[in-house]
């Protein structure tokens, strides 16, 4: 398990507990039913169709969220790392999950219920109010990410999806050379494209002098069109830069 210092640091780096000191976080946690659990690599954290009554916040490791359709096709919906949450909309609304979550490495999660604060009429302290404000922002952020992914999957060609994804990785690292956290099949699943078609498009982009790549390591060359960064107004990192 991560240390208590890392535990609180990770919480403070998440949108749910942003701008809250440790004592304020402890006040909120005192009203939440919570527990921590470690999942080994390749373990299924939750299955499609199950209920998830608690929010799961990743303390360490990574999760892949995916959906398998009626034909057995696996669509990678999202990749989550430390400080990000699992099942936020489901825990708040009581909906069943429509994705499965798999640990891609040893992963520790912090599960907690928000029911008492949302429905128990027990919100009296400023830290609790602050947490609920953050919860509303986190819910809006999650809904926005889902809407944007749906829009991208409907409107964009394979090349445009690759360009947008690689541009986003560029903006995350600030460098033209970076390693993505996905293998070829995972990348195709995440972009909702055929792997062979995607590989062909990557080769065309390399031949045109737009990119270089070797396995998961990419270099964006000068001629590569980079999509403008879309700043998230609720991102913890963006707020700290201001």
């Amino acid at each position: 398990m991560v240390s208590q210092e890392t535990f609180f640091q990770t919480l403070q780096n998440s949108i749910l507990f942003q701008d809250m000191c440790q004592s304020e976080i402890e006040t909120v946690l005192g009203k939440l039913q919570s527990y921590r659990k470690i999942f080994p690599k390749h373990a299924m954290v939750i299955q499609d169709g199950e209920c998830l009554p608690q929010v799961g916040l990743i303390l360490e490791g990574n999760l892949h969220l995916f959906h398998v359709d009626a034909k057995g096709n696996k669509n990678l919906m999202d990749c989550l790392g430390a400080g990000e949450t699992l099942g936020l909309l489901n825990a708040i609304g009581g909906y069943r999950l429509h994705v499965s979550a798999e640990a891609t490495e040893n992963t520790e999660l912090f599960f907690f219920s928000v029911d008492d604060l949302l429905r128990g009429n027990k919100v009296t302290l400023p830290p609790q109010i602050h947490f609920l404000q953050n919860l509303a922002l986190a819910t809006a952020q999650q809904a926005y990410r889902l809407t944007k992914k749906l829009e991208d999957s409907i409107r964009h060609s394979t090349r445009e999806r690759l360009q947008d994804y690689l541009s986003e990785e560029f903006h995350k690292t600030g460098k033209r050379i970076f390693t993505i956290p996905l293998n070829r099949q995972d990348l195709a699943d995440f972009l909702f494209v055929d792997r062979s078609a995607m590989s062909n498009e990557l080769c065309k982009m390399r031949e045109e002098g737009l990119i270089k790549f070797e396995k998961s390591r990419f270099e964006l060359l000068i001629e590569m069109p980079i999509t403008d960064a879309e700043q998230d107004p609720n991102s913890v990192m963006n707020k700290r830069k201001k």
Side-chain angles (χ1 to χ4, degrees):
M1 284 193 172
V2 300
S3 66
Q4 280 296 97
E5 180 181 358
T6 301
F7 172 77
F8 282 105
Q9 186 65 56
T10 303
L11 263 58
Q12 289 173 319
N13 287 337
S14 74
I15 187 172
L16 285 175
F17 297 94
Q18 65 180 348
D19 301 325
M20 299 178 70
C21 65
Q22 181 170 330
S23 62
E24 291 174 323
I25 293 175
E26 289 173 338
T27 297
V28 172
L29 295 185
K31 294 294 183 181
L32 305 178
Q33 298 180 25
S34 62
Y35 63 94
R36 293 162 65 174
K37 186 173 181 179
I38 296 176
F39 296 86
K41 185 177 180 179
H42 299 312
M44 296 302 300
V45 176
I46 194 76
Q47 296 273 14
D48 187 349
E50 294 181 353
C51 291
L52 183 62
Q54 305 93 8
V55 177
L57 191 149
I58 302 173
L59 299 176
E60 183 179 52
N62 290 278
L63 295 179
H64 278 186
L65 306 188
F66 63 90
H67 174 73
V68 179
D69 63 25
K71 296 181 179 179
N73 299 314
K74 182 178 178 181
N75 298 308
L76 184 59
M77 305 299 294
D78 211 345
C79 307
L80 304 179
E84 296 186 289
T85 57
L86 167 70
L88 183 65
L89 302 180
N90 307 88
I92 292 174
Y95 306 111
R96 291 184 180 274
L97 286 171
H98 287 275
V99 294
S100 298
E102 179 183 10
T104 59
E105 57 184 277
N106 290 342
T107 301
E108 182 178 356
L109 280 95
F110 175 57
F111 291 99
F112 56 91
S113 173
V114 296
D115 268 356
D116 281 351
L117 291 181
L118 281 177
R119 301 179 177 89
N121 297 319
K122 298 179 181 179
V123 179
T124 57
L125 302 175
Q128 295 171 348
I129 296 172
H130 192 167
F131 172 77
L132 290 180
Q133 291 172 334
N134 286 345
L135 184 65
L137 293 177
T139 304
Q141 184 184 68
Q142 184 72 42
Y144 171 77
R145 288 176 64 177
L146 291 173
T147 301
K148 189 173 185 300
K149 185 169 180 62
L150 176 61
E151 179 186 0
D152 290 345
S153 67
I154 293 173
R155 298 176 58 184
H156 289 183
S157 66
T158 298
R159 175 168 293 205
E160 288 172 324
R161 296 182 199 188
L162 282 167
Q163 178 182 318
D164 286 350
Y165 177 80
L166 295 175
S167 295
E168 185 176 349
E169 292 300 308
F170 163 77
H171 292 304
K172 284 180 182 177
T173 62
K175 300 177 181 178
R176 285 183 173 268
I177 299 176
F178 49 80
T179 299
I180 66 173
L182 303 174
N183 60 34
R184 284 288 184 274
Q185 187 59 60
D186 287 339
L187 180 57
D189 292 340
F190 183 70
L191 297 178
F192 296 169
V193 297
D194 177 75
R195 177 177 175 175
S196 296
M198 183 193 73
S199 295
N200 288 338
E201 197 62 49
L202 284 172
C203 290
K204 289 180 182 177
M205 294 170 72
R206 179 171 58 188
E207 291 169 2
E208 293 172 18
L210 303 180
I211 61 174
K212 292 181 180 179
F213 60 86
E214 182 178 358
K215 295 183 178 180
S216 295
R217 184 176 181 273
F218 283 81
E219 179 180 356
L220 307 188
L221 302 179
I222 299 299
E223 298 300 321
M224 168 71 180
I226 296 177
T227 306
D228 292 338
E230 185 171 353
Q231 299 296 333
D232 184 345
N234 297 309
S235 167
V236 177
M237 294 305 297
N238 287 338
K239 286 188 175 183
R240 289 177 178 172
K241 291 177 182 178
K242 293 180 180 180

